[in-house]
Amino acid sequence: MTNPAATPSSRQKLHAVRVLRDRIFVTGFVLAVVIGILGLAALLFDVLIDGLPFLNWHFLTSYASRKPLDSGILAPLAGTVWIVVMTALFTVPIGVGTAIYLEEFASKSRFNRLIELNIANLAGVPSVIYGLLGLAVFVQFLFNGSRNLTAGALTMTLLVLPIVVIASQEAIKAVPSSYRDAAYAMGANRWQVVKAVVLPQALPGMMSGIILALSRAIGESAPILIISSLVWVTFVPASPDSKFTVLPLQIFTWISQPQHAFRGIAAAGIIVLLIVLLSMNGIAIWIRSRYQTRPEQ
Amino acid sequence: MSTTTETGISHELLARLSRRRRRQYAEQLIVTWLLRAAALITILTTVGIVIILVAQSVGFFAEVSVWDFLTGTEWAPLFSPQKFGVLSLVGGTLLVALIAGIVSLTLGLGAAIFLSEYAPERLRRILKPILEVLAGIPTVVYGYFALTFVTPILQSVFGYDRVIVFNALSAGLVMGLMIMPMVSTLSEDAMVAVPRSLRDAAYALGATRFEVSTKVVIPAALSGIVASFILAVSRAIGETMIVKIAAGATPNLTLNPLESVQAMTAYIVQVSLGETPQGSLEYKTIFAVGLLLFVMTLAMNIIGRWVISRFRQQYD
């Protein structure tokens, strides 16, 4: 490393400084990653240490109680299952339908560009705003003040719809156009092409998007909190017009209790919530790796 | 075809084919309309949000002047005399979002540079999903973490008398951790998109990795980095559960992060939990605050996407 133009000593000193600066900053960059991972680890340990002692069969099969040690998670667990299933029933046809329309049927007109722009904006609307929408439109207008499961599921549907639409659009875009051309060449019309060629090919991609959207619906508490308000639900909802609570909302209720013992119960609830989410994400990843066949170009 | 229609069977076949064709055409027509209706729901959602927020806010602003609302610094809708200065809520929201923004930009950009410029591909493929787990954890869990883990640490560091149990710093730090993957993923995407040839040119001149990162890659990817930051802060402004659980319920226009504040979202939730009668002035406040929140986040999202499209470098 000699440069005849500069005196060797100053040249080497400058080089040493630059290398040192590189070393110092790479340490900083690594530290950023490490802090992120440590934060995640601290969060998980915090929850596990607080919650594991309370996690037992009694906790999973009992209703909420004024006494921390008697408290259980059955009602919110059932409420979450109701909300997820109903949200899926509403979201899948609407979300997938919107994506099919935008990708396969719509011309690139100004109106359709408006729909796409609108979906991008909806994805950024705070969840609490969806809660206000659901409160005014579903609870007060549609159900006359009844804070029921259907109102909650419809609100969640509007909240996760952009995620499903965008993921389904990506899945449809990934289907090679040669597949469509082949079907068209056989005389198929647009809907037949979608039904027989595009949908089967795009289904795995759509499925993982739908599952991710539903796990968002499971973890979201702000809109449900506005829709259902704070209720001690001590029953398993029996029908879509029943009152309800969900896991994150029950966890929030426990965190808000003044008695310190409820903290451990809240942490146990968080463990259950994280296990549900983890298994859903696992299924999404499995579907993606199992069915995602790269079409040969 | 017409030559083969002498026999009765072919006639029947032709009729059947044309009936089937008509049926397929009708089916496609119905499906097209159904799909169009599905797409319209997303438009109706936006229209619904705007109408609901504006209609309820109009009732609110009939009794409280817009000027008092937007410039007042005291928020006490449940006491008399009632005060509707939303700035103390906006201040709470922005203080937490500012802390979260600083944390997520520092950590997120650092992680993005490491993953994109330094880390070998195999390490990158392990680290990236781990960091993205952070974005998938429910916000109520972050709220719990802030209240039961971060706040006690802050109290033992800064002193129990100086740090209130519910404080802006704890909520902001934890929220920064939550939105960090958003900054790192979007920034890294922008940095990976910078062509190799630009880096190679700088390396050929003897630049170190750090110099290549800061003098070549970051300037070239700046629009993506700025946009990721704007979108992440917009997310922080709209976030509810962390601020509700950890930041407190005291409307407070302050720059001291160790104090209790109330964010706009936390106020909306607080009123929803109470027994506020529908149609009362207090009830309408949550829609007025919601409208302001909607406008703030919408503006930031539009700016964020505009930055991406306006300043995107096109490399061939």
Side-chain angles (χ1 to χ4, degrees), chain A residues 155-202:
Chain A
T155 307
M156 277 303 174
T157 299
L158 298 185
L159 176 72
V160 301
L161 207 50
I163 306 174
V164 174
V165 173
I166 292 168
S168 302
Q169 276 184 290
E170 292 304 319
I172 293 173
K173 274 183 195 150
V175 178
S177 59
S178 58
Y179 287 26
R180 294 183 187 83
D181 295 342
Y184 281 127
M186 313 263 284
N189 67 27
R190 213 171 265 267
W191 171 234
Q192 287 172 316
V193 171
V194 168
K195 201 166 47 171
V197 177
V198 176
L199 269 184
Q201 283 289 318

Side-chain angles (χ1 to χ4, degrees), chain A residues 124-129 216 219-223 252, chain B residues 89 92-94 96-97 100 135 137-144 171-172 174-176 178-179 182 231-247 262-269 293 297:
Chain A
V125 172
S127 60
V128 73
I129 302 283
R216 171 90 194 275
E220 194 61 68
S221 20
F252 169 71
Chain B
L89 296 182
T93 290
L94 291 184
V96 175
I137 290 177
T139 54
V140 71
V141 181
Y142 279 108
Y144 179 86
V174 169
M175 200 186 281
M178 180 184 84
I179 57 179
M182 203 169 164
L231 295 176
V233 170
S234 159
R235 177 83 201 280
I237 289 175
E239 184 23 64
T240 309
M241 296 317 284
I242 299 177
V243 285
K244 173 68 187 144
I245 292 171
Q262 184 167 42
M264 300 161 80
T265 50
Y267 172 75
I268 293 174
V269 164
L293 181 68
T297 52

Side-chain angles (χ1 to χ4, degrees), chain A residues 15 18-19 21-22 25-26 28-33 35-37 39-40 42-44 46-47 50-51 93-98 100-102 105 111 114-115 117-130 132-133 135-137 140 147 158 161-162 165 187 189-192 195 216 218-222 225-226 229-230 248-249 251-252 255-256 263-264 266-267 270 273-274 277 281, chain B residues 21 24-25 27-28 31-32 35-36 38-46 48-49 52-53 56 106-115 118 127 130-131 133-134 136-145 147-149 165 177 180 205-211 213-215 234-235 237-241 244-245 265 268-269 272-274 278 283 286-287 289-291 293-294 297-298 301-302 305:
Chain A
H15 184 254
R18 288 170 53 213
V19 168
R21 197 193 294 149
D22 184 61
F25 274 94
V26 74
F29 300 148
V30 171
L31 210 59
V33 178
I35 291 175
I37 293 174
L40 177 64
L43 184 146
L44 295 177
D46 180 41
V47 167
D50 294 355
I94 301 174
V96 173
T98 303
I100 293 174
Y101 176 74
L102 290 175
F105 284 82
F111 177 70
L114 181 77
I115 293 184
L117 186 70
N118 176 57
I119 290 170
N121 277 326
L122 279 179
V125 172
S127 60
V128 73
I129 302 283
Y130 284 97
L132 292 178
L133 177 72
L135 179 69
V137 172
Q140 275 155 18
R147 299 167 177 274
L158 298 185
L161 207 50
V165 173
N189 67 27
R190 213 171 265 267
W191 171 234
Q192 287 172 316
K195 201 166 47 171
R216 171 90 194 275
I218 290 178
E220 194 61 68
S221 20
L225 200 153
I226 293 177
S229 197
L230 258 207
L249 186 50
I251 292 165
F252 169 71
I255 295 176
S256 316
R263 293 266 172 93
I270 290 175
L273 178 65
L274 290 182
L277 288 175
N281 282 286
Chain B
R21 187 120 197 212
Q24 285 166 348
Y25 182 75
E27 186 183 324
Q28 159 152 303
V31 166
T32 309
L35 294 177
R36 198 169 288 159
L40 260 182
I41 287 181
T42 58
I43 294 276
L44 287 180
T45 307
T46 307
I49 289 174
I52 297 290
L53 292 179
Q56 298 277 0
T106 318
L107 294 183
L109 192 55
I113 295 174
F114 178 72
L115 292 175
Y118 287 87
L127 290 178
I130 296 180
L131 287 179
V133 170
L134 286 169
I137 290 177
T139 54
V140 71
V141 181
Y142 279 108
Y144 179 86
F145 181 57
L147 185 65
T148 65
F149 190 87
V165 175
L177 185 66
M180 165 203 175
L205 293 172
T208 62
R209 268 177 196 253
F210 174 69
E211 287 160 349
S213 306
T214 50
K215 294 183 178 154
S234 159
R235 177 83 201 280
I237 289 175
E239 184 23 64
T240 309
M241 296 317 284
K244 173 68 187 144
I245 292 171
T265 50
I268 293 174
V269 164
S272 312
L273 292 178
Q278 186 197 335
Y283 178 82
I286 63 176
F287 291 91
V289 173
L291 179 62
L293 181 68
F294 177 71
T297 52
L298 183 68
N301 290 334
I302 290 175
R305 276 205 309 280

